[in-house]
Amino acid sequence: MATGGDLKRAIGLMSGTSMDGIDLAMLETDGDGVVRRGASSFAAYDAQFRKRLERALETAKSIELRSDRPGDLTELEAELTDRHAAAVEAFLTREGLSASDVDVIGFHGQTILHRPLQALTVQLGDGERLAKRLRIDVVYDLRANDMTMGGQGAPLVPAYHRALAAGFGPEWAQDTPVIFVNIGGISNITYIGSDGDLRAFDSGPGNTLIDQWVRHHAGIPYDSGGAIASEGRVLSGLANHYLSSPFFTAKQRLSLDRNDFKMPGDEDASLEDGARTLAFVTAAAIAKAQAHLPEKPKLWILTGGGRHNRMIVEDLTVATRHTGKVILAEEAGLNGDSMEAEAWAWLAVRSMRGLPLTYPNTTGVREAATGGVLARGQGRDVA
């Protein structure tokens, strides 16, 4: 093994709902309270491959069993796995490391279907194939066991957020309750109460609607920095259309699929007004999460790609100005781009130790649950 004692050197791989590429991050960790963050990287998908992934979302709608791979999904899964392998190989070369320097890889894969009410979640990604090519142990399929035990299968990062918060220095340690806000394709929050109470759920649309809107109207993948949105105005009628969804008032917190909220129609807004309104909706949806929490947060820590959209940040700052402070992850000494990949590395080690990944107040699972499948890399000691 690469490290001594109970510590493992792990790489986490995350391809999120934005479907823009692969985040990689390395940790040295015991899967519990010891978190030594290392290098991180990003491997972008080319436009053609992103289009194939988007088409896969439509193909996946016919899936009834997690093992189903209709249409070209088998071939797509193999290519996606190989792209992850290539990304790891490039990362190791860049960092001057070899496969023997890594104990385990946490492999998320690409979610193409998530139906929590049917206990059905599908992530493309062949853990066995990845392990054999890289000759490194791989932990994958981390969501499924939670769903078999009555959970939503998401979010899985909250336990890692709590581990990070436990390591805060004096500047932030007193600012509790604290919320981590991950603004990816879907936004989700982790609440850590003054007493350590851990709660988590999806808060609503994140970047997905904005990305779809600007890609459809401007032919670009995303609104960089919120530049397009900054030229528009909030259309109250369109915003209320989204924010009046029963999702926000339902007592049971449901995890979302990227197709649960639809892009506005062409006639609903101009490019700029649409981008501005959707940014406002993202922020307002995050702020609405407070209604489902026992205490108002004092500190909001923003992670994920959406924290780069200044209109989202400004709107959330305004919406929470009377109760808390909004900061970017970097202000707390964290990496807001690699945090989910870091979490997958941490969760992989935690899975190998049989420790809980999810809890009743994070996914709705009946009791604290571990999960994941271990694929052994060729040449590894399997004893």
Side-chain angles (χ1 to χ4, degrees), residues 169-243:
E171 182 178 2
W172 305 113
Q174 303 305 312
D175 287 321
T176 57
V178 59
I179 275 190
F180 285 80
V181 183
N182 175 48
I183 312 174
I186 300 297
S187 294
N188 53 69
I189 66 103
T190 297
Y191 166 89
I192 305 165
S194 303
D195 58 354
D197 181 20
L198 181 67
R199 303 188 183 207
F201 47 85
D202 286 353
S203 61
N207 301 318
T208 292
L209 291 176
I210 303 169
D211 293 350
Q212 290 174 343
W213 180 257
V214 299
R215 187 160 55 246
H216 177 68
H217 288 277
I220 55 178
Y222 59 93
D223 183 10
S224 180
I228 297 174
S230 69
E231 299 294 327
R233 60 190 178 92
V234 176
L235 304 178
S236 58
L238 182 59
N240 290 336
H241 164 74
Y242 287 104
L243 296 172

Side-chain angles (χ1 to χ4, degrees), residues 22 44-46 49 78-88 133:
I22 305 162
Y45 291 144
D46 58 82
F49 190 70
E79 181 174 342
L80 180 132
T81 303
D82 290 344
R83 283 174 177 259
H84 278 73
V88 172
R133 170 163 166 176

